[in-house]
Amino acid sequence: MNSFRTRLTLILIGMIGLAVLAAGIFMGKTYRDNHLEALQDNLVREMKIILDQMQWQTGEPAELYTYFTNNAKRLKEITDTRITFIRADGVVLGDSDHDPRTMDNHLQRKEVIEAKKDGIGRTTRYSDTIKQNLLYVAMSVDPAHPDSSDIIRMALSLQKVDESVRRIWMALIVGLLILFLAAALISYRIALGLTRPLEQITRVAKRIKSLDYRARVQVMRTDEIGELGLAINAMADSLHVQMTRIHQNERQLASVLDNMISGVVMINHEGKIVLLNRIAEEVLGFSARELVGHHYTVAKQQYELSHIIQEAFERKEHLREEMTFYYPEERLLDLNLVPIFEEDDSFGGVLLILQDVTAIRRLERMRSEFVANVSHELKTPITAVKGFAETLLGGAVDDPETARTFLQIIFDESDRLNRLIGDILELSKIESRRVPLQFSPVDLSSFVQKTVELMRAEALHKQIRLSAKVEPDIYVEADEDRLRQIVMNLLSNGISYTPEGGMVSIIVEPVGGENYESVRIHITDTGIGIPKKDLPRIFERFYRVDKARSRSSGGTGLGLSIVKHLVELHKGTITVDSRVGSGSTFTIELPVLQ
C-alpha cells in the first residue's frame, strides 16, 4: 500500500510539474514574442518619424555614401539602434556601424524581402559585423510601391531582451520549485486520503482471510471507496452467516457420525481414507490419526477387508458381505460398500459401512435355541401324558393301583406343563416390557419376614433352616409383588439345590451409610454350588447346570431368567458367587429411588 501511495504521489507531482513546466515555457515564449512585437512596433514608429524628418536623396552611390552614413550615425546617437539605408537594388547607402562601401548587397536579406513584399519585414539573426544577435526591422520608404522602393532598416541588439527572458526563466524556475514542493505536499495529502481507506479495507480483508468474520470497515464517505467498504462489510456478513451454517452442519454431521451405531469409513478415488468415525475406530482397532490420509491397505491386520475394498474399487457397484474380524477382538461384521460418484459421474471413491451383528446373530441363535428348548420341554410332559394315557386305554385302567399311579403321573406332568407355559408367558411379557410396575415404598424388614414365612413350609419339608437378617427402617421404592417374586424364586432355588439339613439365609444391608442410595440383598445357600464354567450362563433361558436334577426338582429352567429381567426393570443388578460343594450366594443391588 505504501508503494501505491508513493506511485500515486509521484504521478500527481509529475502531472502538476509537467503542467507548470508547459505553462512556464508557454509564458516565456509568449513574453519574448510579445516583447519582440513591441520592439518592432517601436522601431517602425521611429523609422516613420525619421522618414518624416529626413529628406531622402537619390543619385549615384558614391555621392550618397557620406550623406546617408552621417545621418545614420547621428540617428544612432538619438535612438541607440543601428540604422542602415538600402537602395531598392540592395546596395547599402549608409550604415551607422560599418562602412557601407564594404558591405554586401542586402537585396536577399529576409527582412528586405519581406519589406519589398509587405512594406515591413522582421527577422532576428546573428550579425557577423558586430558579433551579436540583432532584431532587424526593415520598412519601405514608399509604402505605395514597396517592391521598387528604397529600404530603411533599424537593428536592435537582443542582449537586453535575452537578459530579460533569462530573468523570467529564473523566476519561473524558482516558482516551479515552490510549486513542486507545494504539489508534493498536496499530492501526498491527496494520496493519503485515497489510500488510507484502502489500507483499512486491506486490513479488514486480511482479518477475514484469517477467519475473523466479525471484522468490519468503518465507512466514512459515500464515494466509490465507501461503496467498496460497504461491499466488503456485506461480504463479511454473508461469509459469517455461511461459515456459521457450515460449522453448525459440520458439528451436526460430526455428532451424527460419532453417535452412529455403525462404523463409517470414506475412501477417496486414490484409495486414501478421508473419514473415520468413532465406531469404525473401535471395530478396526485403529485410531483416525493412524488411518486418515493413508491408503486403506495400512490396516494390514484386516487383509480380507482390504481385499473386498479392492473388489469394490474394481467393480464400482454396491457390495455386501458378512465377515468375521479377529482383531482387536472377534466380531461378526456386516459390510456394505457403496460406490461414490461425483456430479460429473466420475468415480469418487467408496463408502464403507461397518455394522457389528455379533449380538444380533447371537440373539438369533438364542431364539433358535429357545424355540428348540421350548419344543423339547413341551414335548417331554406331553409325551409322558400321551404314553400313560395310551397305556390306560390299552387296559391298565382295569387295575386300580396301576391306574392311580399312571393318573398321578399324568396329573404331575400336566401341572409341570402348566407351570412351564405360565413361565414362558411370564418371561415373554417381562422381556417385551408389557408388565406394568407399581412402585411404592417397601419396608424391607417386614417384607423379608413375610416372604420367609411363605417359604418356610417348603423348607421344613426338606428340613432346611431359613434365616433372615434385616436392619430396621430400611426402605426401597419397588413393585412389592415383583420384588417378592424375585426373592421367592431365589429362595426356592436355594431350597431345591440344598441337601436336607442345610441352610438358606437372606441378608439385607444399606449401601452408603445413613444416606444410603441403594440396598443389597444377599441370598445364600449351602447347596451343591455351581461350576465356574457355568456361572456366565445360568441366567439364560432353559440353561441347567444339572439337567437331570433340575427336571427331577420340577424346575422349568426359566426362573433365574425371569429374576434377572425383573431386577433390571427395577434398574438394579444381580450377581452370583458360587463354589462347587460349598453353596451359592446371589446378590441383588437395587436403587432406593426409581
Side-chain angles (χ1 to χ4, degrees), residues 200-223:
Q200 183 190 6
I201 292 174
T202 302
R203 287 194 297 270
V204 171
K206 289 181 178 178
R207 290 176 61 187
I208 295 174
K209 177 185 176 183
S210 301
L211 306 183
D212 181 7
Y213 300 110
R214 300 185 183 276
R216 294 295 183 272
V217 178
Q218 294 183 355
V219 180
M220 306 297 293
R221 56 179 73 182
T222 58
D223 56 4

Side-chain angles (χ1 to χ4, degrees), residues 2-153:
N2 289 332
S3 60
F4 173 69
R5 180 184 300 168
T6 302
R7 291 198 303 272
L8 182 60
T9 302
L10 293 176
I11 289 172
L12 293 175
I13 292 174
M15 292 176 63
I16 295 174
L18 289 175
V20 172
L21 180 61
I25 293 173
F26 177 76
M27 289 176 59
K29 187 176 183 304
T30 302
Y31 173 79
R32 190 172 188 277
D33 292 342
N34 291 337
H35 193 52
L36 292 177
E37 288 289 341
L39 291 176
Q40 175 184 336
D41 293 342
N42 288 334
L43 293 177
V44 169
R45 285 194 296 270
E46 288 178 357
M47 285 188 291
K48 287 181 179 180
I49 293 172
I50 291 172
L51 291 177
D52 184 66
Q53 297 297 325
M54 174 184 170
Q55 184 177 2
W56 194 276
Q57 294 185 3
T58 60
E60 293 297 326
E63 299 174 354
L64 300 174
Y65 285 144
T66 302
Y67 174 76
F68 281 105
T69 297
N70 292 334
N71 278 294
K73 291 181 178 180
R74 181 178 56 83
L75 291 172
K76 180 179 180 180
E77 293 177 356
I78 298 172
T79 61
D80 195 23
T81 58
R82 179 184 177 186
I83 299 176
T84 305
F85 297 102
I86 305 170
R87 202 169 59 182
D89 57 359
V91 175
V92 178
L93 298 178
D95 188 85
S96 60
D97 294 343
H98 200 270
D99 186 359
R101 297 180 183 83
T102 60
M103 296 176 65
D104 297 332
N105 190 287
H106 281 34
L107 185 63
Q108 299 302 319
R109 301 293 171 91
K110 182 178 179 180
E111 67 276 8
V112 175
I113 294 174
E114 290 180 1
K116 283 186 169 292
K117 179 180 179 182
D118 301 325
I120 297 174
R122 189 191 76 176
T123 187
T124 57
R125 65 174 178 272
Y126 185 76
S127 174
D128 294 330
T129 305
I130 61 175
K131 309 298 181 183
Q132 286 184 4
N133 285 323
L134 297 177
L135 170 64
Y136 293 96
V137 178
M139 187 179 69
S140 299
V141 175
D142 185 5
H145 303 88
D147 55 339
S148 59
S149 172
D150 293 333
I151 301 296
I152 181 174
R153 186 185 71 180

Side-chain angles (χ1 to χ4, degrees), residues 275-531:
L275 180 64
L276 192 76
N277 71 343
R278 180 177 54 82
I279 298 298
E281 291 179 335
E282 296 176 1
V283 170
L284 297 177
F286 293 92
S287 66
R289 179 176 53 83
E290 294 175 300
L291 292 183
V292 171
H294 299 281
H295 200 269
Y296 63 84
T297 55
V298 169
K300 297 180 180 179
Q301 291 86 343
Q302 315 295 355
Y303 172 77
E304 294 181 351
L305 177 62
S306 299
H307 181 73
I308 193 173
I309 293 175
Q310 180 63 34
E311 184 179 353
F313 269 84
E314 293 173 355
R315 295 174 60 178
K316 294 182 176 61
E317 60 183 31
H318 179 214
L319 298 179
R320 181 177 182 181
E321 186 171 335
E322 285 191 2
M323 185 177 298
T324 301
F325 280 30
Y326 298 96
Y327 177 85
E329 62 182 59
E330 185 174 349
R331 301 173 188 260
L332 180 63
L333 299 180
D334 181 30
L335 307 180
N336 281 274
L337 293 98
V338 183
I340 301 172
F341 293 95
E342 305 293 344
E343 294 181 356
D344 57 355
D345 294 332
S346 63
F347 181 66
V350 170
L351 184 65
L352 171 62
I353 309 297
L354 303 164
Q355 186 172 6
D356 189 352
V357 294
T358 307
I360 296 175
R361 296 294 177 264
R362 184 171 60 250
L363 289 175
E364 290 177 350
R365 185 174 63 254
M366 291 174 61
R367 186 181 297 111
S368 299
E369 292 176 354
F370 176 72
V371 172
N373 287 330
V374 168
S375 301
H376 179 73
E377 295 293 336
L378 290 174
K379 186 177 180 180
T380 300
I382 289 174
T383 301
V385 170
K386 181 179 179 183
F388 286 106
E390 287 177 348
T391 302
L392 290 173
L393 290 173
V397 70
D398 296 331
D399 184 354
E401 187 65 27
T402 303
R404 182 177 180 83
T405 302
F406 284 4
L407 288 173
Q408 183 64 45
I409 293 173
I410 291 173
F411 178 79
D412 291 341
E413 292 298 327
S414 299
D415 184 58
R416 180 185 170 195
L417 182 61
N418 184 57
R419 290 198 312 274
L420 177 61
I421 293 173
D423 283 349
I424 290 173
L425 294 176
E426 180 75 5
L427 181 61
S428 175
K429 287 191 296 182
I430 292 173
E431 286 186 339
S432 61
R433 297 185 181 273
R434 289 185 286 112
V435 179
L437 299 182
Q438 303 297 327
F439 291 104
S440 62
V442 177
D443 180 4
L444 290 180
S445 178
S446 62
F447 169 81
V448 170
Q449 294 298 331
K450 291 179 182 178
T451 306
V452 169
E453 288 300 323
L454 292 173
M455 299 300 300
R456 194 172 296 281
E458 183 179 345
L460 289 174
H461 180 72
K462 291 186 65 177
Q463 297 180 359
I464 293 175
R465 183 163 55 91
L466 283 177
S467 67
K469 180 182 179 182
V470 186
E471 294 185 16
D473 298 327
I474 296 180
Y475 290 85
V476 67
E477 189 175 5
D479 185 315
E480 187 171 354
D481 292 337
R482 293 300 178 179
L483 183 59
R484 181 167 283 112
Q485 184 179 358
I486 293 170
V487 176
M488 288 181 68
N489 270 345
L490 293 175
L491 290 174
S492 178
N493 266 5
I495 294 170
S496 298
Y497 292 100
T498 299
E500 292 184 1
M503 185 180 70
V504 176
S505 64
I506 178 170
I507 300 173
V508 180
E509 61 182 4
V511 179
E514 295 183 359
N515 299 321
Y516 59 94
E517 296 181 356
S518 60
V519 295
R520 286 197 187 104
I521 303 174
H522 303 279
I523 298 176
T524 305
D525 62 62
T526 58
I528 60 176
I530 304 170

